[in-house]
Amino acid sequence: MASGVAGVLGGGGGGPSPPSQVAVDDIPPDYLALYIEAADTCPGLDWSILAAIGSVESDHGRSDLPGVHHGSNPKGARGPMQFLPTTFDAYKLPVPPGGSDPPNPYDPINAIHAAARYLCDSGARHARDLHAAIWAYNHSDAYVANVLSKANVYASYDVGADGPGPAAWQAVNYARGQLGLPYVWGGNGPDDGHAGFDCSGLTYMAYASGDITLPRTAQTQYNVGPRLGTDEPLQPGDLVFYGTPTNVHHVGLYIGHDQMIHAPRRGDIIRVAPYRWNGDDYLGATRPG
């Protein structure tokens, strides 16, 4: 829900990602066309992000919950993209072709174009900060991860014939379930008697949930590989590392669209963040399994 007022497209960049078969089967054709058209107004915003938000907020306008077609939900949000009135008023103009005039948030044309403008101003323009853009729409790491996961499924990744396997998706889903837990040095999470995780404990347990056993530390996880080439596009489930080859000090789990889930440091929580979170400290990635 927009409560106030793109990263690597698909998996390899270079232009909007084509719809996957899942997207074609799930998204009504008129909505799919609107997501693609509206995203084109914001350089760097992939249509799959808009589509994922439309899915989460209203099942692409098919939901019968209060506020989708008339009235408002308990928090005052309206329409298929669930805008608060003040937010919609800030982004409703110019009226897109075919949209109602004056604009209203229940019209999908008005709503989806307004959502694209809002995301663009909040960080999606030129892929500046997609995490911030989605966070602005709903202040929740779990929401950000949910949107990115849906966008991953809707987009056809440019990763060759083999996309993420079941273990990779299971690792991503496991990590999503740990969002908000505390960083605990040496922690393997509640399943192992700890309140939270450290960075490599999170990746270790995420892949253990998919029946893949990794070494326990960031250094040994990097050492075991298999490592990706510097020009090979990342895909969900890849492990991303920081430091030097002989002094790896951090690891995260890539979830798509330039974002990862990781346990940052003492005093912090498991969160979503851009995988280039620490400047030039990024070392490289591996693809377990």
Side-chain angles (χ1 to χ4, degrees):
M1 175 177 61
S3 55
V5 179
V8 175
L9 305 179
S17 53
S20 67
Q21 190 60 51
V22 172
V24 172
D25 291 343
D26 182 54
I27 304 172
D30 55 341
Y31 270 73
L32 180 56
L34 281 173
Y35 294 135
I36 294 171
E37 176 186 276
D40 194 49
T41 66
C42 177
L45 174 63
D46 196 55
W47 68 270
S48 62
I49 299 296
L50 276 175
I53 290 173
S55 173
V56 172
E57 297 295 354
S58 72
D59 189 24
H60 311 300
R62 293 177 295 212
S63 173
D64 290 326
L65 291 173
V68 174
H69 302 288
H70 51 78
S72 61
N73 75 5
K75 294 186 177 181
R78 302 173 179 181
M81 302 302 278
Q82 290 291 273
F83 272 108
L84 294 179
T86 53
T87 310
F88 182 74
D89 285 347
Y91 290 94
K92 65 185 180 182
L93 297 174
V95 176
S100 62
D101 191 2
N104 78 77
Y106 306 105
D107 179 354
I109 299 175
N110 294 137
I112 292 171
H113 278 264
R117 296 184 193 112
Y118 181 42
L119 290 168
C120 210
D121 278 2
S122 300
R125 183 182 298 275
H126 300 306
R128 179 171 55 85
D129 193 340
L130 184 60
H131 174 273
I134 302 172
W135 176 272
Y137 215 92
N138 187 315
H139 300 338
S140 162
D141 261 335
Y143 182 88
V144 174
N146 191 19
V147 166
L148 291 170
S149 293
K150 287 182 177 292
N152 292 338
V153 174
Y154 282 157
S156 292
Y157 274 80
D158 182 19
V159 293
D162 297 323
W169 285 121
Q170 176 58 34
V172 169
N173 287 334
Y174 180 91
R176 284 176 56 198
Q178 315 313 310
L179 289 166
L181 290 180
Y183 179 99
V184 174
W185 188 84
N188 287 337
D191 292 341
D192 200 36
H194 300 94
F197 300 83
D198 63 14
C199 66
S200 56
L202 177 63
T203 53
Y204 172 82
M205 292 298 287
Y207 265 99
S209 74
D211 296 323
I212 290 181
T213 301
L214 296 177
R216 176 56 181 80
T217 68
Q219 182 71 62
T220 54
Q221 288 176 11
Y222 176 76
N223 291 345
V224 77
R227 300 176 196 170
L228 302 181
T230 56
D231 60 346
E232 189 168 356
L234 298 177
Q235 65 186 37
D238 289 346
L239 300 183
V240 286
F241 295 90
Y242 305 84
T244 67
T246 59
N247 184 25
V248 179
H249 63 80
H250 190 63
V251 60
L253 183 72
Y254 187 75
I255 61 173
H257 293 273
D258 278 353
Q259 308 296 306
M260 66 175 175
I261 295 175
H262 72 146
R265 57 179 67 86
R266 295 177 192 268
D268 211 330
I269 60 173
I270 312 296
R271 63 173 65 251
V272 177
Y275 85 98
R276 292 283 192 171
W277 77 300
N278 205 20
D280 293 332
D281 198 35
Y282 176 66
L283 173 62
T286 67
R287 186 164 294 161

